């Protein structure tokens, strides 16, 4: 660790204690930000941790919708997002107003929103899901038709897995569309023993080549299996830090070095320290929206959905 980083870490640790704060960090964050976390995980793990924490302050090292979900679940806590510009372009591809219009076109449809969405969009939805539980959520619904927002590729994958009729919003992740099937084919030739593991936000041509389709938390658990020695990783490259740290001796090959989410990288050690010093920027969801959004998130967390691994084969 560089001297400057060591100094920052020392200050963060001391201030975190004084504020009774917990640091929750997503798997795509910079390595040094992962290393100071109390918990590193995927969207589902992180929302569960937020709901359970006894801390007064949550420093959320991730993107805006993740901090908002923590605020939805913990209205009495201060939720800090060290850089307010850390948004998710996919979540911004839909608004509550446009969703209300679409719902009028499909009044019978059950409405499922991916957690990568604003609190306002969650408030318009029947149930939320994450990449770790979408299949279970969709299977748990009785509705014959499902309006799924905003990720068309996750929706396409789950519709193919469940056979459910789904109306898909045309959103996508600009980072995951950079993962190309041609490159996976090349890597498979180079590393014939490697398992190909991809995120369900990838395009169908990519998913078709995968041994496993998993959330980022699912990827970390899968990497620990004895039979996995080499893994071709089709998701944002920040996860490689955790995979290598937890599995010394195994080989992790990112499909694309360009699969970077610039928003995730906006959070730095400096900004984490400043946020704890200033107790800002704070993410707070207005109460009317929060209560309606919470109903959709609670329904997911209460396991009214069956959580299932997302396997393609
Ligand atoms: P996970 O919930 O699998 O970590 O995914 C979050 C995300 O933003 C993927 O791009
Ligand atoms: Fe959003 Fe994609 Fe970044 Fe995930 S990787 S936060 S879906 S833009």
């Amino acid at each position: 660790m560089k001297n400057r980083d060591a100094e920052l870490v020392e200050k963060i640790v001391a201030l975190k204690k004084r504020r009774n704060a917990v640091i929750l960090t997503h798997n795509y964050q910079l390595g040094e930000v992962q290393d100071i976390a109390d918990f590193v995980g995927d969207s589902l793990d992180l929302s569960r941790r937020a709901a359970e924490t006894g801390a007064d302050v949550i420093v959320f090292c991730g993107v805006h919708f993740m901090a908002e979900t923590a605020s939805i679940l913990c209205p009495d806590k201060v939720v800090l997002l060290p850089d307010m510009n850390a948004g998710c372009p996919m979540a911004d591809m839909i608004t509550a107003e446009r969703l209300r219009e679409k719902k009028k076109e499909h009044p019978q449809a059950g409405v499922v929103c991916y957690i990568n969405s604003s609190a306002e969009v969650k408030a318009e939805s029947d149930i939320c899901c994450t990449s770790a539980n979408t299949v279970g959520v969709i299977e748990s619904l009785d509705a014959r038709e499902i309006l799924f927002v905003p990720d068309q590729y996750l929706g396409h994958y789950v519709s193919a897995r469940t056979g459910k009729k789904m109306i898909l919003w045309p959103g996508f992740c600009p980072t995951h569309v950079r993962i190309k099937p041609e490159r996976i084919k090349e890597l498979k030739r180079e590393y014939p023993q490697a398992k190909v593991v991809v995120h369900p936000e990838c395009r169908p041509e990519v998913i078709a080549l995968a041994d496993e389709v998993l959330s980022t938390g699912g990827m970390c658990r899968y990497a620990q299996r004895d039979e996995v020695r080499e893994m071709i990783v089709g998701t944002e490259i920040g996860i490689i830090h955790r995979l290598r740290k937890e599995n010394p001796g195994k080989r992790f090959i990112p499909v694309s070095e360009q699969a970077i989410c610039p928003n995730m990288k906006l959070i730095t050690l400096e900004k984490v320290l400043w946020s704890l010093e200033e107790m800002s920027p704070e993410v707070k969801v207005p109460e009317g929206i929060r209560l309606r959004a919470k109903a959709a998130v609670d329904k997911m967390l209460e396991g009214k959905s069956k959580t299932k691994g997302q396997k393609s084969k």
Side-chain angles (χ1 to χ4, degrees), residues 26-28 41-44 65-66 114 116 130-131 173 176 199 201 215-217 264:
H26 188 263
N27 290 317
Y28 295 160
D42 66 16
S43 311
L44 183 62
F65 76 82
M66 297 178 177
Y114 189 25
N116 297 39
T130 78
S131 61
C173 166
H176 282 85
H199 197 274
E201 287 176 15
S215 72
T216 61
M264 284 279 179

Side-chain angles (χ1 to χ4, degrees), residues 44 127-130 133 296-305:
L44 183 62
I127 186 167
C128 187
C129 68
T130 78
N133 62 15
V297 177
D298 278 348
K299 210 164 161 191
M300 168 184 85
L301 292 177
E302 282 160 14
K304 293 196 178 146
S305 63

